[in-house]
Amino acid sequence: INGFCNKGKMDDAAKLLEEMRGKGLHANTVTLSTIIKGLCKQGWVDEAAKLLEEMRGSGLYPNTVSFTTLINGFCKQGRMEEAVKLLEEMRGRGHYPDTVTFNAIINGFCKQGKMVEAVELLEGMRQSGLYPDTVTFTTVINGFCKQGRMEEAVKLLEEMRGRGHYPDTVTFNAIINGFCKQGKMVEAVELLEGMRQSGLYPDTVTFTTVINGFCKQGRMEEAVKLLEEMHGNGLYPDTVTFTAIVSGLCRARELDKATDLLEKMVREGIKPNVVTYNTVILGLCVVGKSQEARRLLDKMAVKGCAPDIFTYNSVLRAMHKEGRVEESMELFNELTSKGYIPD
RNA sequence: UUGCUUAAGUGUGAUUGGC
């Protein structure tokens, strides 16, 4: 059931649940939490909340994990008031929030850019007898990074160390990304090379972050050099890594190299996903090759990668720019008939 | 009864040319 829920296949999960019942097996708290998570992942948070509510008095009790999962679901939708209300409710029902619960809420505030609330909660956890952990600090550090407040991010990194918490690779990745987004590649590379001194190893995300930083500055040679360095570190580029470079090549108007790289990654057994295709399609559109873009849109579908509204928008806009009104009308009809909602 | 094992929750990277 967890496997299906993680893949978003709620129908299959329901079938298994049904099969369980048929065999006289009872769902338990873990089953309940698993299904709540599955519903939330689909964006069906209200259904998840209803499910938790309905389980009252059914002998199937939600616990701290169940509540936290649902709280995280609300947070992911930016529904912070409801998340906080649920926090109160679980307390009222005798379930104590733990560090994971707070981390979910703190992340929710960070994603809304509400750093005051996030820091307040980080400091206020103690009053609930809870201690922030590496995830808590990383969450808030990332929040500062996303706002470009790098001084505060670094200050918090030092503070967590002072409090005896060790940053991990994810913490560094967040900070490195912050510097990259500010165009401060010197600092980013320094951290990439310096993290070993903290006993930490860069991973695929670290390299991809810095590679993307170089790509965004049009420094493709340095990006490719880093890509090659990965192997020496026992790391392999993944779909995201390749997409970052493909995007850089598109930006640099090197469409031939971008399409070559797309084919190369397939040969190396790394599957392009919808973002990768969108990147190349947008690249083609921008240089006025809407027909080639259209062909690639059809091809991705054949390869089992469904286009999304982003894909269609790129091609539609390019067709209009090129004065291909009929083709764009045709494509528009196609997307609506396939059930896509124009945005 | 005791022990072991397994299953659920939180943080980081890629596509978003108005010029």
Side-chain angles (χ1 to χ4, degrees):
Chain A
I1 290 171
N2 186 41
F4 284 130
C5 286
N6 281 336
K7 287 208 147 194
K9 300 188 169 185
M10 295 309 289
D11 291 347
D12 291 311
K15 258 184 230 155
L16 261 188
L17 195 63
E18 201 52 44
E19 192 180 328
M20 266 180 83
R21 286 206 185 104
K23 292 181 188 294
L25 297 168
H26 296 285
N28 62 15
T29 302
V30 174
T31 326
L32 175 64
S33 302
T34 304
I35 292 172
I36 288 174
K37 178 185 65 174
L39 292 170
C40 288
K41 272 192 105 163
Q42 297 291 305
W44 304 336
V45 183
D46 294 302
E47 286 75 3
K50 205 184 286 173
L51 179 67
L52 188 142
E53 198 49 45
E54 284 168 3
M55 288 306 118
R56 277 185 115 151
S58 75
L60 199 50
Y61 297 105
N63 62 7
T64 298
V65 173
S66 322
F67 277 102
T68 301
T69 307
L70 184 57
I71 285 172
N72 186 48
F74 279 115
C75 290
K76 283 274 145 68
Q77 295 202 347
R79 295 163 65 173
M80 297 310 297
E81 277 186 28
E82 287 155 284
V84 171
K85 216 173 98 189
L86 204 54
L87 178 72
E88 307 296 326
E89 190 189 329
M90 72 184 279
R91 279 182 168 131
R93 289 215 224 164
H95 298 290
Y96 294 98
D98 59 14
T99 298
V100 175
T101 319
F102 272 87
N103 290 349
I105 295 181
I106 289 171
N107 187 42
F109 280 121
C110 286
K111 290 282 143 69
Q112 301 262 301
K114 302 193 167 167
M115 296 310 296
V116 175
E117 285 84 345
V119 171
E120 246 171 42
L121 277 174
L122 183 148
E123 298 302 341
M125 287 171 72
R126 321 177 170 291
Q127 288 164 14
S128 305
L130 297 170
Y131 292 95
D133 62 8
T134 299
V135 174
T136 324
F137 282 105
T138 302
T139 303
V140 180
I141 284 172
N142 183 50
F144 281 129
C145 288
K146 281 278 146 60
Q147 297 198 347
R149 296 161 67 173
M150 297 310 296
E151 338 67 45
E152 287 156 282
V154 172
K155 210 176 108 192
L156 193 54
L157 173 72
E158 281 157 15
E159 191 185 326
M160 77 182 276
R161 278 179 163 139
R163 291 208 216 167
H165 294 281
Y166 295 97
D168 61 14
T169 298
V170 175
T171 320
F172 271 84
N173 290 349
I175 295 178
I176 288 171
N177 187 42
F179 280 122
C180 286
K181 288 296 180 321
Q182 300 269 301
K184 301 194 170 172
M185 296 310 295
V186 175
E187 285 85 345
V189 171
E190 234 170 55
L191 281 172
L192 168 70
E193 284 167 357
M195 57 194 287
R196 292 175 214 284
Q197 290 167 3
S198 304
L200 297 171
Y201 293 95
D203 61 11
T204 298
V205 174
T206 324
F207 274 92
T208 303
T209 304
V210 180
I211 285 171
N212 185 48
F214 280 126
C215 287
K216 283 290 183 303
Q217 297 200 344
R219 296 160 70 174
M220 296 310 296
E221 338 69 42
E222 284 152 291
V224 171
K225 209 177 114 197
L226 263 184
L227 177 73
E228 284 157 6
E229 259 181 50
M230 288 181 74
H231 296 289
N233 286 269
L235 297 170
Y236 296 93
D238 63 12
T239 302
V240 179
T241 321
F242 274 105
T243 305
I245 295 185
V246 165
S247 173
L249 291 170
C250 288
R251 220 170 248 276
R253 306 284 156 109
E254 310 223 55
L255 265 296
D256 293 338
K257 284 189 186 173
T259 46
D260 284 351
L261 193 59
L262 183 66
E263 284 164 21
K264 187 185 170 196
M265 67 186 281
V266 175
R267 280 200 305 277
E268 292 191 6
I270 300 160
K271 274 199 167 178
N273 63 15
V274 61
V275 178
T276 321
Y277 282 112
N278 285 349
T279 305
V280 180
I281 286 171
L282 179 65
L284 290 168
C285 289
V286 165
V287 298
K289 296 182 172 178
S290 71
Q291 289 184 306
E292 211 173 312
R294 170 70 217 248
R295 279 196 291 277
L296 190 54
L297 186 153
D298 292 333
K299 189 174 166 189
M300 68 188 278
V302 172
K303 299 242 173 191
C305 184
D308 61 15
I309 200 66
F310 186 107
T311 326
Y312 283 107
N313 284 347
S314 301
V315 181
L316 282 173
R317 185 160 67 182
M319 284 173 166
H320 261 277
K321 245 186 184 170
E322 294 172 29
R324 304 179 187 275
V325 180
E326 281 186 25
E327 284 173 52
S328 76
M329 290 305 288
E330 200 179 294
L331 189 62
F332 183 81
N333 289 335
E334 180 187 314
L335 76 90
T336 50
S337 71
K338 283 186 176 170
Y340 289 94
I341 314 287
D343 67 1

